[in-house]
């Protein structure tokens, strides 16, 4: 199919990247639209457009301060309609809430255009959220730090050298830099980035993992406790080059914070030297410390008096118990209830796999959740298998398109494809709720799930679909509604990502046993 590429340029017009991704997602749902992207015209983003085959959308002579709307469509008419809709959405955004109300006149004042203007408007502020293109993010973060502000740095494409310099400056001034590429935090009950609605409480989190932070914080909420602060560090913070600068600072803040009684540390596998430094920082801490370094050595954690947790769920349970709160207030996360659910799902799915060598495909929107699933599956099934656990939020999949937490279209394409793959026996999914995420992620995925299961059935095999929802009853999408939609589509739901991965593994193990006993049936 031939596509046409069209674009529009908005000179000197900056918008937050989450807003732009949301608009792109809406445009991609229009008839005849193949792909849509709204980006600032930085060299890095122009490279992204080139990789996506959308270079023609950028006008000659665009500057980094300009914004580009790029459309790939089936027809000129569809492209024109999408550009017109983009203009409507951008215009509405520019006029619908960027300012503040003047107390004296009640009129709408223009939004501040510089950091200095914002501080004059809000002199008591102590944190700046920065979401400019990476090229400019460092300079803005330096300004904020020099004004005595902590920084939540949502921007990516910040160099390691700039990150190190920012964190050195923050350390010298007793401030915190969360990021770069920090997607989630909760500060004093206020959610930042892709965070969830959770109650306040005694448990503090420092995390080099966005969806890991979301999983732990939402489970703590569902177990009846709450979060004092959840501080993201950025994914590179525990790298050898950065040295865990923000993790160490955030840990100290939480240990010193009177509202925090239990501290949870979360990370993908850190550098050995950095892990040792962080553990040394919590040696014999006066508060309980729970540590989840995915795949890490529990003995090293115990050696400093901390509590190891192999999974995000285990971290949430341990923290809740150590905080002295009654657990499992949410019903669906009760141990007995979840064991019954797993047993029922297993009974429904096992014996219906076509062959004993069926594989698991995991299609994830959260990188840390995907990493956790790999560890659980390896522990249950052993190495050497050919299961595919894919983080669809990784840069290689999001070139020129919104993140799957915002727009499920890319993941839906992969879901449908599993229905045509004769080697796939189990489809494993995460659904992440919260601010900034799609308004109805389960509802948007259900048609693709039903399509995949029907395709598999037409080919004479059963496709088991297993998943979990990261969220709370207070999230805007509604946890109960999202779970109900998935269950109605035949998804076997578990109360955490680790349990979902465990159920996927159990289905495979049972299928092996059934085949060995000569009982493979197709249903």
């Amino acid at each position: 199919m031939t596509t046409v590429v069209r674009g529009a340029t908005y000179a000197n017009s900056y918008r937050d990247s989450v807003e732009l991704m949301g608009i792109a997602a809406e445009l991609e749902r229009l008839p005849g639209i193949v792909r849509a992207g709204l980006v600032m015209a930085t060299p890095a983003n122009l490279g992204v457009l080139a990789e996506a085959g959308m270079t023609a959308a950028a006008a000659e002579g665009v500057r980094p301060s300009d914004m580009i709307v790029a459309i790939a469509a089936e027809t000129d008419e569809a492209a024109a309609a999408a550009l017109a809709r983009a203009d409507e959405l951008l215009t509405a955004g520019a006029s619908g809430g960027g300012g503040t109300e003047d107390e004296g006149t009640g009129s709408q004042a223009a939004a501040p255009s510089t950091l200095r203007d914002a501080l004059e408007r809000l002199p008591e502020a102590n944190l700046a959220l920065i979401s400019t293109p990476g090229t400019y993010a460092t300079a803005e973060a330096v300004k904020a730090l020099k004004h005595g502000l902590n920084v939540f740095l949502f921007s990516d494409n910040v160099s390691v050298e700039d990150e190190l310099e920012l964190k050195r400056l923050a350390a010298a001034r007793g401030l915190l830099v969360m990021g770069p590429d920090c997607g989630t935090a909760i500060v004093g009950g206020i959610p930042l980035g892709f965070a969830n609605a959770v109650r306040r409480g005694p448990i503090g989190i420092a995390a080099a993992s966005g969806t890991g932070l979301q999983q732990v914080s939402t489970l703590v909420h569902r177990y009846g406790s709450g979060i004092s602060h959840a501080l993201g560090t950025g994914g590179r913070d525990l790298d050898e080059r950065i040295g865990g600068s923000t993790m160490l600072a955030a840990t100290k803040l939480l240990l010193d914070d009177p509202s925090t009684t239990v501290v949870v540390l979360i990370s993908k596998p850190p550098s050995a030297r950095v892990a040792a430094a962080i553990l040394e920082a919590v040696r014999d801490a006066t508060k309980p410390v729970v540590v989840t370094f995915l795949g890490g050595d529990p003995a090293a954690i115990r050696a400093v008096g901390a509590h190891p947790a192999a999974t995000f769920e285990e971290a949430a349970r341990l923290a809740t118990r150590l905080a002295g709160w009654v657990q499992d207030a949410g019903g669906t996360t009760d141990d007995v209830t979840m064991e019954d659910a797993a047993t029922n799902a297993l009974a429904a799915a096992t014996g219906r796999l076509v062959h004993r060598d069926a594989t698991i495909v995991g299609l994830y929107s959260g990188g840390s959740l995907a990493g956790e699933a790999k560890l659980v599956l390896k522990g249950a099934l052993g190495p050497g298998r050919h299961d595919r656990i894919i983080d669809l939020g990784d840069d290689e999949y999001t070139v020129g398109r919104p993140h799957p937490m915002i727009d499920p279209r890319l993941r839906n394409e992969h879901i449908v494809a599993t229905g045509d793959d004769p080697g796939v026996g189990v489809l494993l999914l995460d659904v992440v709720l919260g601010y900034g995420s799609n308004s109805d992620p389960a509802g948007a995925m259900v048609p693709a799930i039903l399509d995949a299961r029907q395709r598999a059935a037409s080919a004479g095999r059963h496709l088991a679909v297993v998943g979990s929802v990261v969220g709370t009853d207070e999230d805007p999408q509604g946890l109960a509604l999202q779970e109900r939609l998935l269950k109605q589509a035949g998804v076997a739901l578990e109360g955490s990502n680790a349990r979902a991965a465990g159920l996927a593994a159990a289905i495979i193990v049972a299928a092996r046993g059934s085949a060995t006993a000569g009982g493979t049936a197709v249903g």
Side-chain angles (χ1 to χ4, degrees):
M1 179 182 66
T2 303
T3 59
V4 297
V5 175
R6 299 289 182 267
T9 300
Y10 291 76
N12 295 315
S13 177
Y14 172 74
R15 297 294 181 88
D16 179 81
S17 58
V18 174
E19 178 189 5
L20 296 185
M21 286 189 286
I23 293 174
E26 178 165 340
L27 298 181
E28 286 200 344
R29 290 192 287 269
L30 294 175
I33 301 304
V34 177
R35 182 169 290 192
L38 286 79
V39 297
M40 299 302 296
T42 63
N45 284 337
L46 292 176
V48 166
L49 291 179
E51 287 184 51
M54 301 171 75
T55 300
E60 290 287 337
V62 289
R63 298 170 298 176
S65 58
D66 298 338
M67 182 179 64
I68 300 170
V69 179
I71 303 292
E74 296 173 1
T75 64
D76 279 314
E77 292 76 15
L83 289 173
R85 179 57 178 157
D87 188 69
E88 291 176 6
L89 293 169
L90 290 166
T91 301
S95 61
T100 58
E101 186 174 291
D102 185 280
E103 292 184 5
T105 65
S107 61
Q108 192 79 1
S113 58
T114 67
L115 180 62
R116 186 179 297 278
D117 290 344
L119 282 169
E120 288 178 358
R121 191 84 56 89
L122 197 64
E124 69 276 14
N126 64 2
L127 186 145
L129 191 158
I130 296 173
S131 183
T132 63
T135 309
Y136 308 104
T138 300
E140 293 303 316
V142 167
K143 291 177 190 175
L145 291 168
K146 289 184 174 179
H147 280 89
L149 299 173
N150 298 287
V151 170
F152 177 86
L153 188 51
F154 190 86
S155 307
D156 57 7
N157 294 313
V158 174
S159 71
V160 172
E161 293 75 20
D162 283 351
E163 178 176 352
L164 189 57
E165 186 56 36
L166 286 174
K167 291 183 174 179
R168 284 173 176 165
L169 178 59
R173 293 171 177 259
L175 298 169
L176 198 66
V177 172
M178 293 178 275
D181 201 16
C182 183
T184 305
I186 302 170
V187 180
I190 304 300
L192 303 175
F194 294 101
N196 298 86
V198 299
R199 72 175 64 83
R200 296 293 304 276
I203 297 171
I205 304 172
S209 159
T211 50
L213 185 157
Q214 289 184 265
Q215 175 78 103
V216 173
S217 63
T218 56
L219 288 177
V220 164
H221 175 96
R222 290 161 74 171
Y223 297 161
S225 189
I227 302 299
S228 56
H229 307 283
L231 307 175
T233 70
R236 284 190 311 222
D237 188 70
L238 274 68
D239 184 279
E240 186 80 22
R241 296 165 294 179
I242 306 299
S245 175
T246 298
M247 179 68 82
L248 288 166
T251 301
K252 184 178 186 305
L253 282 172
L254 294 173
L255 288 173
D256 292 343
D257 175 37
S259 68
T260 300
T261 61
V262 177
V263 176
V264 180
L265 308 182
I266 302 170
S267 178
K268 299 172 188 175
S271 142
R273 183 185 67 82
V274 176
I278 291 167
L279 293 179
E280 191 59 36
V282 300
R283 181 182 291 277
D284 301 324
T286 57
K287 298 176 182 179
V289 177
V290 177
V291 180
T292 298
F293 290 163
L294 290 177
D297 177 13
I301 297 169
R302 291 191 189 97
V304 299
H307 303 264
T311 66
F312 299 133
E313 178 188 3
E314 187 180 350
R317 286 190 179 279
L318 266 174
T320 306
R321 289 184 183 127
L322 290 165
W325 286 72
V326 177
Q327 291 197 62
D328 303 324
T332 58
T333 52
D334 178 84
D335 282 328
V336 176
T337 303
M338 291 313 305
E339 286 171 8
D340 289 345
T343 300
N344 293 338
L346 190 57
T350 54
R352 302 179 66 199
L353 299 175
V354 175
H355 56 82
R356 64 175 296 175
D357 297 319
T359 59
I360 299 168
V361 168
L363 300 176
Y364 276 83
S365 61
S368 296
L369 298 178
E372 181 186 46
K374 289 179 183 178
L375 286 172
V376 171
L377 293 177
K378 182 179 178 181
L381 301 174
R385 285 180 51 83
H386 300 289
D387 302 305
R388 288 169 284 158
I389 307 300
I390 303 167
D391 170 19
L392 290 170
D394 191 72
D395 289 348
E396 68 173 297
Y397 295 103
T398 55
V399 170
R401 42 192 335 166
H403 192 282
M405 283 170 59
I406 296 173
D407 179 12
R409 178 171 163 177
L410 172 64
R411 181 156 61 166
N412 285 348
E413 294 171 3
H414 284 263
I415 289 172
V416 171
T418 64
D420 294 324
D421 188 335
V424 180
V426 182
L427 174 60
L428 182 59
L429 302 168
D430 68 335
V431 179
V432 183
L433 312 184
Y435 300 104
S437 292
N438 186 278
S439 60
D440 182 19
M445 290 168 60
V446 161
I449 293 169
L450 294 174
D451 190 0
R453 297 186 71 206
Q454 180 57 48
R455 287 169 182 255
S458 298
R461 65 189 179 89
H462 174 69
L463 177 65
V465 185
V466 179
S468 66
V469 181
V470 177
T472 75
D473 53 341
E474 297 180 14
D475 277 326
Q477 297 88 349
L479 175 63
L481 171 62
Q482 296 296 301
E483 289 185 331
R484 184 167 66 250
L485 291 172
L486 293 168
K487 289 176 182 176
Q488 289 171 348
V491 179
L493 277 185
E494 285 284 11
S496 74
N497 177 61
R499 291 194 183 214
L503 176 56
I507 291 171
I508 294 298
V509 169
R512 285 177 183 169
S514 177
T516 301
T520 349
V522 177

